[in-house]
Amino acid sequence: MKEVLYKVTFLPSQRTVTAKRGEILLDVLRRESQPVSAVCGGRGNCGKCKALVTDGSEAFPPTLTEARLLTRDEIAAGYRLSCQFKVMTDVRVKTKDLAVDSAVSKRPLPKASIREISPQIRLEEFSLCKPDIDDQASDYSRLMSALVTERPGIDRLNLLRRLPHVIRELDYRGRAVMYGSEVIDLLPFSDESGIFGIAIDIGTTTLAVYLADLKSGEIVAVRSASNPQSAYGQDVISRIDYTMKRYKGIDELRAAVLATMNKLIDDLCKESAVPKERIYDTSIVGNTTMIHILLGISPGRIASSPFIPAFTGGKVFESRELDLEVSIPNSKIYIMPGISAYVGSDITAGILSSGFAEDYGNVLLVDIGTNGEMALRSGERIFACSTAAGPAFEGGNISHGTIARPGAVDHVWLNGKDIGFSTVNGSKASGICGSGLIDAIAVMIDAGVVSESGRIKGEHFELEGTAGRVRINRQDIREVQLAKAAIRAGVSILMDRAGIETRNIDRILLAGAFGNYIDPENALRIGMLPNVPVERVSPVGNAAGLGAVLAVLDSGIRERAESLSSEIHYVELSGRKDFNEIFVENLALREG
Ligand code: FES
């Protein structure tokens, strides 16, 4: 029987693709790299995969799941859940613009704490004697003997093929681009285009890409975007599940993240007028699952006990092995070492860039995402663990929850009896993100609207003003309690392993975009962090991204990362019989 195909037109781009009759809209959006947030991975639980079907909606009536998760007004306006809606005629679809998180992109450039600029990539000048009948040394020997680097060599055939032509074109004088002792490119002597590196932090929710000048050590530009794998589930477990259950699922996830990484690199180079062929080195950090998927290595064994990753050590690959579109075929990609299945190289990078390893005393570093990764330093010892905080702080499982994008309520405060709030970019309120949620609950406690146990007065709490309206209900508060209790329980267990008490904690460093934006006072107020004086809590920005930048600017950082990853004591929380008890103790919304 002939297959029936329909047109699916995306708005506002007007791009049209085809879909098979009965194909699930979410599959079409994923295949065509359209922005969609599928927090529950398409299981019909979260209600976050909304799309506005402006034409063709009536050909597939709303399912019971849609009736449960969408309001009547939304259904009347044409909103559908893309994981439920089947394409039964030509349709026109508008999805949320999640592609670029402009709220993150427009943040000021971070200043990397570079102590020494000694990148893995160096330029070495050479001046060769021209060959004649009395000097018949090969081009290769001639070049190698002119370099001061010990035992230099060309390891790649593509450069060896070009060598005779290039050294004559350069008239025997130029600069060799060295990666350690390997010559990876040859440049004219007078070339002033510079040499650059890329640093990438692959977060489960957000990708951040930095362009760094390898000579000056400056961060030239930074860009970020939502991780397109959100279309496959918001947390790492949903994504691992997808790679296990779908044929070529890992290829889909890998292609999605690579396409966004390549686009961000392209944008950075255009914006900074840096030729892509001048990017010689790239360092990448991320949680262990993100790194496995990027490399096309099955993360399946990470998801179930005994939680075994394929590797955690530092690795160097050729950029073309990864399909990363930097133009020099011999440019390198460095993957920073991680620690375990659930404490990845993002934590190694955060430790290196935040001053955590050098700080005196007892220091706690917390990176809050769908997984709360944390490390505690006590004297010479470092303990680390990861706890499943769930997607609440990234807007998942929260009725009006959203990531920190324009329109997200990001701060809430009490002014006398009045409640004020702000939104990202000052846009009309369209949801509430993690920092706003923590503030809102702290304000609700202070206003007597919610009890320590999470009981709320009335049906819901409403934030209403000229900027719009957002509601928080009982279940939302429960989700925050579960998330914050998971984080606090992880911290308690690390403190127990290190043998220290709350009063002994000298500093708490909050890493990541979320850590940067939450109000420490309110995080303490709801009991998410140990109850230390607020001045001991400080945000450290995107510590993982800055750690990745350090790795392209300072080769010594790579050695420190390697030794650090082997020194850290990983604490497996699922092996702790008292975890549940500690978790339940920390559900209450109070300082502690
Ligand atoms: S309800 Fe569709 S992805 Fe969760």
Side-chain angles (χ1 to χ4, degrees):
M1 207 170 74
K2 200 166 164 247
E3 198 168 55
V4 181
L5 297 176
Y6 293 118
K7 285 185 200 156
V8 177
T9 303
F10 303 123
L11 302 174
S13 68
Q14 301 283 356
R15 189 163 79 87
T16 298
V17 299
T18 54
K20 288 182 212 152
R21 178 183 169 80
E23 194 169 354
I24 298 283
L25 179 60
L26 179 61
D27 288 337
V28 181
L29 298 175
R30 285 169 169 166
R31 190 176 66 234
E32 300 300 332
S33 304
Q34 291 298 303
V36 59
S37 173
V39 172
C40 69
R43 292 190 197 88
N45 295 329
C46 68
K48 296 288 178 191
C49 60
K50 282 176 218 169
L52 183 61
V53 180
T54 59
D55 291 285
S57 176
E58 64 292 339
F60 185 74
T63 63
L64 288 176
T65 302
E66 288 178 292
R68 179 168 53 85
L69 293 173
L70 295 172
T71 63
R72 278 196 193 149
D73 287 351
E74 283 174 326
I75 291 175
Y79 280 99
R80 305 298 301 263
L81 293 181
S82 58
C83 70
Q84 303 295 310
F85 182 77
K86 290 183 180 170
V87 179
M88 301 301 284
T89 183
D90 291 346
V91 294
R92 291 165 69 80
V93 180
K94 191 165 189 279
T95 57
K96 279 186 197 164
D97 182 13
L98 296 174
V100 174
D101 183 357
S102 56
V104 177
S105 315
K106 287 172 187 156
R107 285 171 192 162
L109 294 187
K111 297 238 178 296
S113 52
I114 312 294
R115 280 172 301 186
E116 190 186 2
I117 301 166
S118 74
Q120 197 75 24
I121 296 287
R122 291 174 299 108
L123 289 178
E124 190 177 329
E125 291 175 9
F126 64 85
S127 184
L128 312 179
C129 297
K130 291 185 182 174
D132 58 32
I133 199 67
D134 297 319
D135 176 6
Q136 292 183 318
S138 68
D139 293 336
Y140 183 89
S141 307
R142 196 173 297 278
L143 175 63
M144 296 310 142
S145 56
L147 296 172
V148 293
T149 298
E150 254 184 63
R151 280 202 273 256
I154 291 176
D155 297 347
R156 302 292 148 195
L157 183 56
N158 61 63
L159 183 57
L160 198 55
R161 279 188 185 133
R162 290 192 290 125
L163 181 66
H165 170 71
V166 172
I167 60 171
R168 283 166 183 81
E169 195 179 63
L170 298 179
D171 199 22
Y172 297 91
R173 190 164 178 251
R175 288 174 177 167
V177 181
M178 309 294 301
Y179 185 90
S181 61
E182 182 187 349
V183 179
I184 63 170
D185 199 13
L186 296 169
L187 299 175
F189 190 78
S190 56
D191 183 88
E192 293 298 336
S193 302
I195 51 173
F196 296 87
I198 288 279
I200 303 175
D201 169 26
I202 310 178
T204 313
T205 307
T206 306
L207 302 181
V209 180
Y210 301 78
L211 177 64
D213 185 324
L214 298 183
K215 272 191 183 166
S216 68
E218 269 174 33
I219 295 174
V220 180
V222 57
R223 277 205 167 222
S224 61
S226 299
N227 187 332
Q229 292 175 352
S230 296
Y232 301 83
Q234 189 140 345
D235 56 30
V236 293
I237 296 297
S238 317
R239 295 185 203 169
I240 293 174
D241 199 45
Y242 190 85
T243 68
M244 303 295 287
K245 292 191 176 144
R246 288 285 280 249
Y247 174 64
K248 294 199 171 175
I250 189 167
D251 296 342
E252 280 181 56
L253 290 179
R254 183 169 182 273
V257 77
L258 265 169
T260 303
M261 282 163 66
N262 282 327
K263 178 167 188 324
L264 290 174
I265 292 172
D266 210 43
D267 291 348
L268 277 177
C269 288
K270 282 186 185 139
E271 168 190 327
S272 314
V274 167
K276 260 211 262 183
E277 59 270 20
R278 289 309 165 94
I279 296 169
Y280 287 105
D281 198 10
T282 300
S283 79
I284 300 180
V285 304
N287 67 53
T288 307
T289 300
M290 292 299 102
I291 296 295
H292 274 54
I293 292 173
L294 175 73
L295 299 180
I297 299 171
S298 170
R301 288 177 183 79
I302 290 176
S304 54
S305 180
F307 314 113
I308 306 299
F311 80 104
T312 54
K315 295 277 170 231
V316 175
F317 302 105
E318 303 286 317
S319 59
R320 64 188 157 186
E321 286 182 277
L322 247 75
D323 305 317
L324 198 64
E325 289 171 11
V326 285
S327 299
I328 291 293
N330 301 334
S331 75
K332 308 291 181 184
I333 291 184
Y334 167 69
I335 307 284
M336 192 177 275
I339 292 140
S340 70
Y342 288 101
V343 179
S345 52
D346 46 353
I347 279 289
T348 314
I351 286 175
L352 288 166
S353 72
S354 64
F356 172 95
E358 288 83 32
D359 261 359
Y360 174 77
N362 301 312
V363 188
L364 175 68
L365 173 74
V366 187
D367 191 342
I368 303 160
T370 50
N371 263 340
E373 292 177 88
M374 55 196 80
L376 176 64
R377 178 169 184 257
S378 175
E380 294 297 305
R381 300 170 308 157
I382 300 177
F383 299 90
C385 73
S386 167
T387 173
F393 293 135
E394 291 176 352
N397 297 350
I398 301 294
S399 52
H400 285 188
T402 175
I403 57 169
R405 61 193 178 87
V409 172
D410 58 351
H411 287 297
V412 183
W413 59 87
L414 202 54
N415 193 0
K417 283 189 176 167
D418 297 331
I419 292 171
F421 67 94
S422 62
T423 61
V424 175
N425 283 12
S427 311
K428 191 171 183 319
S430 56
I432 186 162
C433 66
S435 59
L437 210 47
I438 289 175
D439 284 356
I441 292 176
V443 161
M444 289 162 78
I445 297 169
D446 289 342
V449 177
V450 72
S451 68
E452 278 186 1
S453 67
R455 188 178 295 272
I456 186 172
K457 279 188 186 159
E459 291 267 296
H460 54 252
F461 176 73
E462 195 161 273
L463 290 168
E464 191 169 13
T466 47
R469 192 174 67 173
V470 165
R471 285 178 176 167
I472 297 167
N473 63 30
R474 170 78 191 91
Q475 186 54 34
D476 297 336
I477 292 170
R478 190 68 188 160
E479 292 291 339
V480 172
Q481 284 179 282
L482 294 173
K484 78 100 187 172
I487 291 164
R488 187 65 184 83
V491 173
S492 288
I493 288 173
L494 288 188
M495 286 163 61
D496 180 55
R497 277 298 305 271
I500 62 170
E501 295 179 11
T502 297
R503 63 188 157 82
N504 305 125
I505 295 178
D506 298 298
R507 285 188 74 196
I508 297 179
L509 308 175
L510 298 177
F514 180 57
N516 226 18
Y517 275 78
I518 59 175
D519 181 331
E521 212 161 319
N522 288 335
L524 294 168
R525 180 82 181 90
I526 69 164
M528 190 166 91
L529 300 170
N531 191 24
V532 298
V534 69
E535 55 277 10
R536 292 191 197 170
V537 185
S538 45
V540 287
N542 183 9
L546 290 183
V549 172
L550 289 177
V552 287
L553 293 178
D554 179 0
S555 54
I557 283 287
R558 300 184 185 196
E559 284 161 35
R560 286 172 58 204
E562 208 61 53
S563 58
L564 191 62
S565 67
S566 60
E567 285 162 16
I568 293 173
H569 304 276
Y570 173 65
V571 181
E572 174 55 55
L573 296 185
S574 68
R576 290 277 304 219
K577 291 198 176 71
D578 53 354
F579 179 82
N580 277 350
E581 197 183 317
I582 298 171
F583 173 78
V584 171
E585 274 170 18
N586 283 291
L587 283 169
L589 295 167
R590 63 164 173 253
E591 292 156 350

